[in-house]
Amino acid sequence: MITAFIHKFSSPKSFVNLTEKIYPFLIIFGVSMLIFGWAWGLFFAPQDAVQGNSYRIIFLHVPSVIFAELIYFFMAVCALMHLVWRVKLAAYLIKSAAPIGAMITFIGLFSGSIWGIPTWGTWWQWDARITSTLILFIMYLGILTLHGSFSNLEKADRLMSILVIIGVINIPIIKKSVDWWSTLHQPASISVSGSSSIDPSMLYPLFISVIGLGFTLIALGILTSRSYIFTREKNKRWVLEHV
Amino acid sequence: MLRLIKAESFKLSKKLKSWLGPLLIMVLVLIAFPLSIDISQYDLDKFYFSIIVVSLLMTAFVATEGMFEEDFEDGSLEQEFLIEKDFYKVVFSKILVYVAFIGIPIAFIGALFSFANGVAIVSFAKILLLLSLSNLLLFNLFAFGNALSINKGAMLGVLTALPLALPVIILLGRAIRSIQFDEGFTAIIALMTGIGLIISAIMPIIISAVLKTHID
Amino acid sequence: MFNLAFDNFNDILYMQGHGIYVWSVYLIGILMIATSFLIANKRIKAIQKKIKISNAPS
């Protein structure tokens, strides 16, 4: 019953049809939110008392690090679906999400490094969270390399899913390692439940840019997954009719 | 189970290169390190551990490199897969034999050299225990990496297994600090033993799933 | 809440010495995201063309 349900709604054909319809809305909404959030953050939000103006990197840094982890979680869910219910679309989505994840992790690392120069006086620190984000980046590269090195694509899909699921253990370690090590990195200053240690005038633009970047990345994911689905299913009838 | 372990140890003893090579690399790195820096300027015992940890990582990788490749290519892996109903037992005994014949000697060499470089002799047993346990963890993780990349070369194995091995290295670093400052060592050994038991129970099942994918 | 944090355009660029960090990060981030959109679009075009050619009635 549940298998039939999943298979019905996870055919690549219906996925492409659905995403083609919602893509324009997603991209317009995402980019305009991003522009709004960044403009607010960069020009209107007040200066930070301690860090001066360099803190304005937060409006790029925090959203990208959030999505670096969220994309990996998304991939892990897809991997589970691929292994348990043999959903082909899930494997396609993992393969197309991985480069985006790698890119956004790189942006997160890069912006963090640059932020570190004026704030900490060093661009790199072997601190827990930075190190584990670097590990995350290496994991994305490993997943891509693994998938790229097998000519039998079905086999590559399955091996990649196993690797993604094993690697997801790494994410709690990212979270926990901050507590395990004494670290230089400021502890997460926003929590969902409790009160935040960040001023609302900085929190709102941050929140808006998180949402904006999220929708932009979903739109990007739709594009990459569409091209990958076409590549993989190029001999299927529905692709011929669709193109 | 005993039959499998015997068979695996026989196979490994025939492959001189795969068990002697890692040991020699370990010795080589540990000899080369103190010679490559000006010993008189530093307290070697303070950071000699770091080089032991790094060479542990290297040798664990070299040791597990051909673990499944030869068996896969000459077809004996497929044969065992058909004969043995619980395929993970084969993988488990293979890893166990590798740890016993390569991992523990490497740990012994590491402990010996750290003692030769000014670490107090009372820590010898502690270091040996610590390095053997971390080799158990590392061999399991690298066996997974090598099962994934079975005949696709070393780079893929490193890329896939290194992220998993780094937490072990972090834990090892903490354990070594606890030896140096003589505090909380038992707790960390208990933690590592627990992780080791869990990993060596789960990893063979995962690895056998990976190998199944390759054989199909 | 919507008061400009800077006096003039030069201040926005300079940001009391931190401008170089802030703007380079945003520039590179935006460039990377935009480039990946362009690459994805290009790939879709290429694969569509390929499919059309390989299935054209000859």
Side-chain angles (χ1 to χ4, degrees), chain A residues 43-44 47 56 59 103 240, chain C residues 3 5 16 18 26 36 55:
Chain A
F43 305 129
F44 297 102
Q47 221 180 69
R56 289 177 205 278
F59 303 112
M103 178 194 77
L240 302 184
Chain C
N3 298 320
Q16 293 161 348
H18 290 152
Y26 277 88
S36 26
N55 290 286

Side-chain angles (χ1 to χ4, degrees), chain B residues 91-157:
Chain B
V91 179
F92 179 75
S93 42
K94 209 179 186 65
I95 294 173
L96 206 66
V97 166
Y98 268 71
V99 173
F101 281 78
I102 307 173
I104 291 178
I106 283 176
F108 189 77
I109 293 172
L112 207 63
F113 270 86
S114 67
F115 157 60
N117 281 278
V119 177
I121 192 161
V122 276
S123 331
F124 183 83
K126 280 183 184 174
I127 295 169
L128 181 61
L129 183 62
L130 192 66
L131 297 186
S132 312
L133 270 175
S134 48
N135 257 342
L136 177 69
L137 295 172
L138 288 179
F139 275 49
N140 270 296
L141 295 174
F142 278 110
F144 170 70
N146 280 292
L148 276 179
S149 63
I150 199 152
N151 49 6
K152 297 290 174 189
M155 196 196 82
L156 187 57

Side-chain angles (χ1 to χ4, degrees), chain A residues 20 23 27 34 36 38 40 42-47 51-54 56-60 103-104 106-107 110-111 114-115 117-118 200-201 204 213 216-217 219-220 223-224 226-227 230-231 234 239-240 243, chain C residues 1-6 9 11-45 47-52 54-55:
Chain A
E20 265 183 0
Y23 173 75
I27 182 88
L34 207 51
F36 179 47
W38 282 354
W40 188 348
L42 282 171
F43 305 129
F44 297 102
Q47 221 180 69
Q51 301 187 358
N53 278 315
S54 67
R56 289 177 205 278
I57 293 175
I58 202 175
F59 303 112
L60 178 60
M103 178 194 77
I104 210 71
F106 178 80
I107 292 178
F110 177 79
S111 58
I114 299 282
W115 192 3
I117 297 172
S201 58
Y204 294 145
L213 189 66
T216 313
L217 289 181
L220 180 57
L223 277 192
T224 48
R226 193 194 300 162
S227 77
F230 283 165
T231 318
K234 60 174 173 275
V239 175
L240 302 184
V243 171
Chain C
M1 193 161 262
F2 283 102
N3 298 320
L4 260 178
F6 303 97
F9 186 70
D11 270 11
I12 290 178
L13 276 185
Y14 186 60
M15 284 195 174
Q16 293 161 348
H18 290 152
I20 174 98
Y21 305 114
V22 175
W23 292 116
S24 61
V25 163
Y26 277 88
L27 188 72
I28 288 174
I30 291 170
L31 269 183
M32 281 182 79
I33 296 174
T35 317
S36 26
F37 268 99
L38 288 182
I39 291 173
N41 261 325
K42 223 176 179 177
R43 279 206 186 141
I44 292 180
K45 293 262 163 61
I47 187 75
Q48 278 177 336
K49 205 173 162 191
K50 205 172 151 194
I51 292 171
K52 268 181 196 154
S54 64
N55 290 286

Side-chain angles (χ1 to χ4, degrees), chain B:
Chain B
M1 197 69 205
L2 207 63
R3 180 189 67 83
L4 287 172
I5 292 177
K6 263 186 191 162
E8 288 298 339
S9 22
F10 179 70
K11 248 194 255 170
L12 185 59
S13 65
K14 288 261 173 171
K15 286 190 281 185
L16 186 71
K17 198 184 78 185
S18 33
W19 63 266
L20 199 58
L23 297 187
L24 286 179
I25 288 177
M26 185 83 183
V27 173
L28 210 68
V29 172
L30 292 185
I31 290 175
F33 172 67
L35 300 180
S36 68
I37 58 164
D38 186 4
I39 311 171
S40 58
Q41 277 188 13
Y42 306 99
D43 299 334
L44 261 187
D45 58 318
K46 286 264 160 49
F47 60 98
Y48 196 67
F49 286 114
S50 72
I51 203 68
I52 290 181
V53 171
V54 173
S55 48
L56 214 62
L57 197 67
M58 264 170 62
T59 45
F61 179 69
V62 174
T64 51
E65 214 202 321
M67 211 169 181
F68 303 107
E69 194 184 343
E70 279 179 30
D71 286 5
F72 178 69
E73 274 166 4
D74 68 13
S76 61
L77 203 67
E78 198 173 348
Q79 205 173 22
E80 271 171 295
F81 177 65
L82 292 174
I83 296 169
E84 192 68 42
K85 207 171 72 192
D86 301 323
F87 185 58
Y88 65 90
K89 278 186 189 166
V90 178
V91 179
F92 179 75
S93 42
K94 209 179 186 65
I95 294 173
L96 206 66
V97 166
Y98 268 71
V99 173
F101 281 78
I102 307 173
I104 291 178
I106 283 176
F108 189 77
I109 293 172
L112 207 63
F113 270 86
S114 67
F115 157 60
N117 281 278
V119 177
I121 192 161
V122 276
S123 331
F124 183 83
K126 280 183 184 174
I127 295 169
L128 181 61
L129 183 62
L130 192 66
L131 297 186
S132 312
L133 270 175
S134 48
N135 257 342
L136 177 69
L137 295 172
L138 288 179
F139 275 49
N140 270 296
L141 295 174
F142 278 110
F144 170 70
N146 280 292
L148 276 179
S149 63
I150 199 152
N151 49 6
K152 297 290 174 189
M155 196 196 82
L156 187 57
V158 170
L159 265 181
T160 49
L162 193 67
L164 303 173
L166 284 182
V168 178
I169 296 297
I170 293 167
L171 196 60
L172 197 57
R174 221 186 136 89
I176 280 167
R177 222 186 309 159
S178 83
I179 290 182
Q180 279 171 334
F181 298 110
D182 202 17
E183 50 168 39
F185 180 72
T186 334
I188 283 184
I189 282 294
L191 179 66
M192 281 184 91
T193 316
I195 297 173
L197 285 177
I198 293 170
I199 281 191
S200 44
I202 293 175
M203 248 348 174
I205 299 173
I206 297 166
I207 292 172
S208 61
V210 171
L211 291 176
K212 256 179 226 169
T213 315
H214 279 294
I215 291 169
D216 280 352

Side-chain angles (χ1 to χ4, degrees), chain A residues 37-238:
Chain A
W38 282 354
W40 188 348
L42 282 171
F43 305 129
F44 297 102
Q47 221 180 69
D48 187 80
V50 185
Q51 301 187 358
N53 278 315
S54 67
Y55 92 93
R56 289 177 205 278
I57 293 175
I58 202 175
F59 303 112
L60 178 60
H61 177 69
V62 167
S64 46
V65 177
I66 288 176
F67 287 110
E69 288 171 23
L70 271 187
I71 288 174
Y72 201 90
F73 271 122
F74 169 75
M75 282 162 61
V77 173
C78 284
L80 204 65
M81 288 183 73
H82 181 66
L83 288 178
V84 176
W85 292 296
R86 298 283 153 115
V87 184
K88 260 202 238 158
L89 178 66
Y92 299 163
L93 288 182
I94 300 173
K95 175 64 179 57
S96 23
I100 302 175
M103 178 194 77
I104 210 71
T105 314
F106 178 80
I107 292 178
L109 281 172
F110 177 79
S111 58
S113 293
I114 299 282
W115 192 3
I117 297 172
T119 330
W120 296 336
T122 171
W123 66 275
W124 188 263
Q125 189 74 35
W126 289 104
D127 136 287
R129 257 202 270 185
I130 307 176
T131 314
S132 26
T133 311
L134 183 65
I135 297 173
L136 191 65
F137 183 61
I138 297 173
M139 271 158 56
Y140 278 121
L141 295 188
I143 289 162
L144 285 171
T145 322
L146 182 73
H147 195 276
S149 58
F150 291 99
S151 50
N152 181 347
L153 289 173
E154 252 102 72
K155 192 162 118 181
D157 283 348
R158 249 152 79 203
L159 293 174
M160 177 180 70
S161 307
I162 296 175
L163 180 62
V164 169
I165 288 182
I166 299 294
V168 84
I169 302 164
N170 202 41
I171 307 280
I173 292 177
I174 289 180
K175 294 283 176 216
K176 274 293 145 206
S177 57
V178 181
D179 305 330
W180 289 349
W181 288 348
S182 54
T183 111
L184 181 71
H185 206 279
Q186 55 212 18
S189 41
I190 307 156
S191 67
V192 181
S193 54
S195 57
S196 303
S197 66
I198 182 172
D199 192 70
S201 58
M202 298 171 185
L203 185 61
Y204 294 145
L206 182 58
F207 190 63
I208 291 169
S209 39
V210 170
I211 293 175
L213 189 66
F215 279 96
T216 313
L217 289 181
I218 292 173
L220 180 57
I222 287 173
L223 277 192
T224 48
S225 62
R226 193 194 300 162
S227 77
Y228 189 65
I229 289 172
F230 283 165
T231 318
R232 283 289 289 270
E233 308 233 316
K234 60 174 173 275
N235 297 323
K236 296 271 172 70
R237 178 184 287 265
W238 73 267

